[in-house]
Amino acid sequence: MWRRIVPWLANERRIFYFDMLGYGHSDKPDADVSRGLQNELFAALVHHWGIDLPDIVAHDFGGSTALRAYLMNGLNYRSLVLIDPVAISPQGSPLVQAAKAHEQIFAGLPAYLHDAASLYRHRCRQYFA
């Protein structure tokens, strides 16, 4: 999701980003990768990278990870931007829950239903160009 935004941001800032272990396209180890561990990993990464008072932009589970790292690990930020954070159980909107429960039905939806998402991505590319 961030692969097109990060290069644009890197024109103005030093950027560090990562795919949370067990989520997205990262490895799926046979180990605990729950949100309860993600804040520990995130705090360790920030310390490893030697970043003092970073500006954080976090999305989805990254939002709860950034909040937990602040509240539970004492990680301080200069700024924190949360985009659609998953912070309260059950995770996901009713639509997300329905898609999880009926994955085959949602996978078979016609392509025209995705036009709004395509238009949104196009507008974002124009804005960030």
Side-chain angles (χ1 to χ4, degrees):
M1 155 167 242
W2 292 96
R3 71 183 178 278
R4 292 187 181 110
I5 297 170
V6 166
W8 180 79
L9 292 172
N11 288 324
E12 302 290 327
R13 303 245 182 186
R14 184 173 173 210
I15 303 294
F16 294 83
Y17 73 104
F18 69 100
D19 198 13
M20 289 175 27
L21 183 62
Y23 296 80
H25 294 292
S26 73
D27 291 339
K28 310 291 189 270
D30 186 24
D32 180 15
V33 293
S34 66
R35 287 188 293 159
L37 180 68
Q38 295 296 331
N39 55 290
E40 301 286 338
L41 294 172
F42 179 60
L45 267 176
V46 170
H47 292 302
H48 172 75
W49 288 331
I51 306 169
D52 293 323
L53 296 176
D55 295 302
I56 300 293
V57 178
H59 171 257
D60 201 67
F61 283 109
S64 61
T65 296
L67 283 173
R68 289 174 60 90
Y70 174 78
L71 295 170
M72 301 174 77
N73 301 96
L75 203 55
N76 289 314
Y77 309 127
R78 184 170 69 163
S79 65
L80 175 62
V81 176
L82 301 177
I83 302 168
D84 195 20
V86 176
I88 299 172
S89 292
Q91 291 86 28
S93 67
L95 178 60
V96 170
Q97 295 299 318
K100 284 181 182 179
H102 308 285
E103 186 176 340
Q104 286 186 334
I105 293 170
F106 279 82
L109 291 175
Y112 68 83
L113 292 176
H114 301 282
D115 286 347
S118 296
L119 179 60
Y120 176 75
R121 283 191 298 275
H122 174 72
R123 295 281 189 228
C124 286
R125 280 194 290 271
Q126 287 179 328
Y127 178 79
F128 289 116

mmCIF file of all heavy atoms in Angstrom, residues 98-121:
data_model
loop_
_atom_site.group_PDB
_atom_site.id
_atom_site.type_symbol
_atom_site.label_atom_id
_atom_site.label_comp_id
_atom_site.label_asym_id
_atom_site.label_seq_id
_atom_site.Cartn_x
_atom_site.Cartn_y
_atom_site.Cartn_z
ATOM 1 N N ALA A 98 -18.119 -9.289 7.068
ATOM 2 C CA ALA A 98 -18.895 -10.076 6.100
ATOM 3 C C ALA A 98 -17.985 -10.637 5.013
ATOM 4 O O ALA A 98 -18.150 -11.790 4.595
ATOM 5 C CB ALA A 98 -19.988 -9.205 5.483
ATOM 6 N N ALA A 99 -17.022 -9.845 4.545
ATOM 7 C CA ALA A 99 -16.101 -10.316 3.510
ATOM 8 C C ALA A 99 -15.266 -11.485 4.026
ATOM 9 O O ALA A 99 -15.006 -12.436 3.289
ATOM 10 C CB ALA A 99 -15.200 -9.177 3.040
ATOM 11 N N LYS A 100 -14.863 -11.425 5.294
ATOM 12 C CA LYS A 100 -14.097 -12.531 5.874
ATOM 13 C C LYS A 100 -14.953 -13.790 5.972
ATOM 14 O O LYS A 100 -14.488 -14.893 5.688
ATOM 15 C CB LYS A 100 -13.589 -12.153 7.268
ATOM 16 C CG LYS A 100 -12.421 -11.205 7.256
ATOM 17 C CD LYS A 100 -11.998 -10.913 8.682
ATOM 18 C CE LYS A 100 -10.863 -9.946 8.761
ATOM 19 N NZ LYS A 100 -10.487 -9.650 10.159
ATOM 20 N N ALA A 101 -16.201 -13.624 6.371
ATOM 21 C CA ALA A 101 -17.081 -14.771 6.568
ATOM 22 C C ALA A 101 -17.551 -15.384 5.242
ATOM 23 O O ALA A 101 -17.875 -16.567 5.186
ATOM 24 C CB ALA A 101 -18.288 -14.358 7.408
ATOM 25 N N HIS A 102 -17.575 -14.569 4.182
ATOM 26 C CA HIS A 102 -18.099 -15.019 2.889
ATOM 27 C C HIS A 102 -17.122 -14.670 1.773
ATOM 28 O O HIS A 102 -17.495 -14.087 0.759
ATOM 29 C CB HIS A 102 -19.470 -14.395 2.632
ATOM 30 C CG HIS A 102 -20.440 -14.592 3.747
ATOM 31 N ND1 HIS A 102 -21.063 -15.800 3.982
ATOM 32 C CD2 HIS A 102 -20.852 -13.752 4.722
ATOM 33 C CE1 HIS A 102 -21.848 -15.685 5.051
ATOM 34 N NE2 HIS A 102 -21.730 -14.457 5.524
ATOM 35 N N GLU A 103 -15.883 -15.066 1.957
ATOM 36 C CA GLU A 103 -14.795 -14.668 1.041
ATOM 37 C C GLU A 103 -15.086 -15.033 -0.409
ATOM 38 O O GLU A 103 -14.841 -14.230 -1.311
ATOM 39 C CB GLU A 103 -13.493 -15.296 1.499
ATOM 40 C CG GLU A 103 -12.294 -14.835 0.715
ATOM 41 C CD GLU A 103 -10.988 -15.395 1.250
ATOM 42 O OE1 GLU A 103 -10.935 -15.822 2.415
ATOM 43 O OE2 GLU A 103 -10.025 -15.404 0.483
ATOM 44 N N GLN A 104 -15.615 -16.217 -0.663
ATOM 45 C CA GLN A 104 -15.852 -16.638 -2.051
ATOM 46 C C GLN A 104 -16.891 -15.762 -2.735
ATOM 47 O O GLN A 104 -16.771 -15.471 -3.923
ATOM 48 C CB GLN A 104 -16.267 -18.095 -2.097
ATOM 49 C CG GLN A 104 -15.105 -19.033 -1.830
ATOM 50 C CD GLN A 104 -15.487 -20.482 -2.028
ATOM 51 O OE1 GLN A 104 -16.645 -20.858 -1.896
ATOM 52 N NE2 GLN A 104 -14.498 -21.296 -2.363
ATOM 53 N N ILE A 105 -17.893 -15.345 -1.988
ATOM 54 C CA ILE A 105 -18.923 -14.477 -2.571
ATOM 55 C C ILE A 105 -18.305 -13.133 -2.954
ATOM 56 O O ILE A 105 -18.498 -12.634 -4.060
ATOM 57 C CB ILE A 105 -20.097 -14.282 -1.598
ATOM 58 C CG1 ILE A 105 -20.845 -15.607 -1.411
ATOM 59 C CG2 ILE A 105 -21.036 -13.180 -2.086
ATOM 60 C CD1 ILE A 105 -21.863 -15.585 -0.304
ATOM 61 N N PHE A 106 -17.529 -12.553 -2.059
ATOM 62 C CA PHE A 106 -16.924 -11.248 -2.331
ATOM 63 C C PHE A 106 -15.880 -11.346 -3.441
ATOM 64 O O PHE A 106 -15.733 -10.426 -4.236
ATOM 65 C CB PHE A 106 -16.321 -10.649 -1.060
ATOM 66 C CG PHE A 106 -17.343 -9.996 -0.187
ATOM 67 C CD1 PHE A 106 -18.122 -10.736 0.679
ATOM 68 C CD2 PHE A 106 -17.553 -8.624 -0.242
ATOM 69 C CE1 PHE A 106 -19.090 -10.142 1.477
ATOM 70 C CE2 PHE A 106 -18.512 -8.014 0.545
ATOM 71 C CZ PHE A 106 -19.283 -8.770 1.406
ATOM 72 N N ALA A 107 -15.181 -12.469 -3.519
ATOM 73 C CA ALA A 107 -14.174 -12.646 -4.574
ATOM 74 C C ALA A 107 -14.835 -12.707 -5.952
ATOM 75 O O ALA A 107 -14.214 -12.337 -6.948
ATOM 76 C CB ALA A 107 -13.365 -13.907 -4.323
ATOM 77 N N GLY A 108 -16.078 -13.142 -5.998
ATOM 78 C CA GLY A 108 -16.775 -13.268 -7.269
ATOM 79 C C GLY A 108 -17.552 -12.040 -7.693
ATOM 80 O O GLY A 108 -18.241 -12.077 -8.714
ATOM 81 N N LEU A 109 -17.440 -10.941 -6.973
ATOM 82 C CA LEU A 109 -18.167 -9.730 -7.351
ATOM 83 C C LEU A 109 -17.638 -9.183 -8.672
ATOM 84 O O LEU A 109 -16.447 -9.273 -8.952
ATOM 85 C CB LEU A 109 -18.030 -8.657 -6.255
ATOM 86 C CG LEU A 109 -18.742 -8.962 -4.941
ATOM 87 C CD1 LEU A 109 -18.417 -7.892 -3.904
ATOM 88 C CD2 LEU A 109 -20.242 -9.068 -5.134
ATOM 89 N N PRO A 110 -18.522 -8.599 -9.477
ATOM 90 C CA PRO A 110 -18.079 -8.072 -10.772
ATOM 91 C C PRO A 110 -17.077 -6.927 -10.620
ATOM 92 O O PRO A 110 -17.091 -6.185 -9.640
ATOM 93 C CB PRO A 110 -19.374 -7.594 -11.437
ATOM 94 C CG PRO A 110 -20.403 -7.562 -10.380
ATOM 95 C CD PRO A 110 -19.949 -8.418 -9.250
ATOM 96 N N ALA A 111 -16.222 -6.807 -11.621
ATOM 97 C CA ALA A 111 -15.131 -5.823 -11.591
ATOM 98 C C ALA A 111 -15.639 -4.386 -11.475
ATOM 99 O O ALA A 111 -14.970 -3.544 -10.867
ATOM 100 C CB ALA A 111 -14.262 -5.981 -12.830
ATOM 101 N N TYR A 112 -16.824 -4.082 -12.030
ATOM 102 C CA TYR A 112 -17.297 -2.699 -12.005
ATOM 103 C C TYR A 112 -17.521 -2.190 -10.579
ATOM 104 O O TYR A 112 -17.507 -0.988 -10.344
ATOM 105 C CB TYR A 112 -18.551 -2.505 -12.854
ATOM 106 C CG TYR A 112 -19.790 -3.191 -12.327
ATOM 107 C CD1 TYR A 112 -20.578 -2.605 -11.334
ATOM 108 C CD2 TYR A 112 -20.183 -4.417 -12.839
ATOM 109 C CE1 TYR A 112 -21.717 -3.250 -10.862
ATOM 110 C CE2 TYR A 112 -21.314 -5.054 -12.375
ATOM 111 C CZ TYR A 112 -22.079 -4.465 -11.387
ATOM 112 O OH TYR A 112 -23.194 -5.095 -10.914
ATOM 113 N N LEU A 113 -17.689 -3.098 -9.630
ATOM 114 C CA LEU A 113 -17.853 -2.668 -8.248
ATOM 115 C C LEU A 113 -16.572 -2.081 -7.677
ATOM 116 O O LEU A 113 -16.575 -1.385 -6.676
ATOM 117 C CB LEU A 113 -18.330 -3.819 -7.375
ATOM 118 C CG LEU A 113 -19.751 -4.294 -7.657
ATOM 119 C CD1 LEU A 113 -20.085 -5.504 -6.801
ATOM 120 C CD2 LEU A 113 -20.747 -3.177 -7.386
ATOM 121 N N HIS A 114 -15.462 -2.349 -8.333
ATOM 122 C CA HIS A 114 -14.178 -1.836 -7.873
ATOM 123 C C HIS A 114 -13.804 -0.517 -8.538
ATOM 124 O O HIS A 114 -12.751 0.039 -8.266
ATOM 125 C CB HIS A 114 -13.082 -2.882 -8.117
ATOM 126 C CG HIS A 114 -13.359 -4.168 -7.428
ATOM 127 N ND1 HIS A 114 -13.144 -4.338 -6.078
ATOM 128 C CD2 HIS A 114 -13.872 -5.331 -7.887
ATOM 129 C CE1 HIS A 114 -13.495 -5.566 -5.739
ATOM 130 N NE2 HIS A 114 -13.942 -6.184 -6.801
ATOM 131 N N ASP A 115 -14.674 0.001 -9.415
ATOM 132 C CA ASP A 115 -14.374 1.238 -10.129
ATOM 133 C C ASP A 115 -14.150 2.417 -9.187
ATOM 134 O O ASP A 115 -13.271 3.244 -9.438
ATOM 135 C CB ASP A 115 -15.489 1.585 -11.115
ATOM 136 C CG ASP A 115 -15.463 0.673 -12.339
ATOM 137 O OD1 ASP A 115 -14.454 -0.042 -12.519
ATOM 138 O OD2 ASP A 115 -16.456 0.673 -13.091
ATOM 139 N N ALA A 116 -14.903 2.488 -8.117
ATOM 140 C CA ALA A 116 -14.734 3.609 -7.180
ATOM 141 C C ALA A 116 -13.345 3.579 -6.558
ATOM 142 O O ALA A 116 -12.687 4.617 -6.435
ATOM 143 C CB ALA A 116 -15.802 3.565 -6.091
ATOM 144 N N ALA A 117 -12.868 2.403 -6.209
ATOM 145 C CA ALA A 117 -11.525 2.286 -5.639
ATOM 146 C C ALA A 117 -10.473 2.676 -6.670
ATOM 147 O O ALA A 117 -9.492 3.348 -6.349
ATOM 148 C CB ALA A 117 -11.283 0.868 -5.136
ATOM 149 N N SER A 118 -10.688 2.277 -7.932
ATOM 150 C CA SER A 118 -9.744 2.651 -8.984
ATOM 151 C C SER A 118 -9.720 4.149 -9.195
ATOM 152 O O SER A 118 -8.654 4.750 -9.361
ATOM 153 C CB SER A 118 -10.117 1.959 -10.298
ATOM 154 O OG SER A 118 -9.995 0.573 -10.166
ATOM 155 N N LEU A 119 -10.877 4.779 -9.187
ATOM 156 C CA LEU A 119 -10.951 6.232 -9.340
ATOM 157 C C LEU A 119 -10.250 6.931 -8.183
ATOM 158 O O LEU A 119 -9.499 7.889 -8.381
ATOM 159 C CB LEU A 119 -12.414 6.683 -9.426
ATOM 160 C CG LEU A 119 -12.639 8.194 -9.554
ATOM 161 C CD1 LEU A 119 -11.976 8.735 -10.816
ATOM 162 C CD2 LEU A 119 -14.133 8.501 -9.550
ATOM 163 N N TYR A 120 -10.454 6.445 -6.981
ATOM 164 C CA TYR A 120 -9.798 7.020 -5.805
ATOM 165 C C TYR A 120 -8.277 6.930 -5.937
ATOM 166 O O TYR A 120 -7.560 7.897 -5.708
ATOM 167 C CB TYR A 120 -10.280 6.299 -4.541
ATOM 168 C CG TYR A 120 -9.601 6.749 -3.290
ATOM 169 C CD1 TYR A 120 -9.925 7.971 -2.707
ATOM 170 C CD2 TYR A 120 -8.628 5.963 -2.681
ATOM 171 C CE1 TYR A 120 -9.289 8.405 -1.560
ATOM 172 C CE2 TYR A 120 -7.997 6.383 -1.529
ATOM 173 C CZ TYR A 120 -8.336 7.599 -0.968
ATOM 174 O OH TYR A 120 -7.702 8.022 0.175
ATOM 175 N N ARG A 121 -7.774 5.758 -6.319
ATOM 176 C CA ARG A 121 -6.321 5.599 -6.502
ATOM 177 C C ARG A 121 -5.809 6.550 -7.566
ATOM 178 O O ARG A 121 -4.749 7.160 -7.419
ATOM 179 C CB ARG A 121 -5.979 4.146 -6.852
ATOM 180 C CG ARG A 121 -6.016 3.216 -5.661
ATOM 181 C CD ARG A 121 -5.413 1.863 -5.995
ATOM 182 N NE ARG A 121 -6.118 1.149 -7.052
ATOM 183 C CZ ARG A 121 -7.184 0.382 -6.854
ATOM 184 N NH1 ARG A 121 -7.663 0.219 -5.648
ATOM 185 N NH2 ARG A 121 -7.759 -0.227 -7.867
#
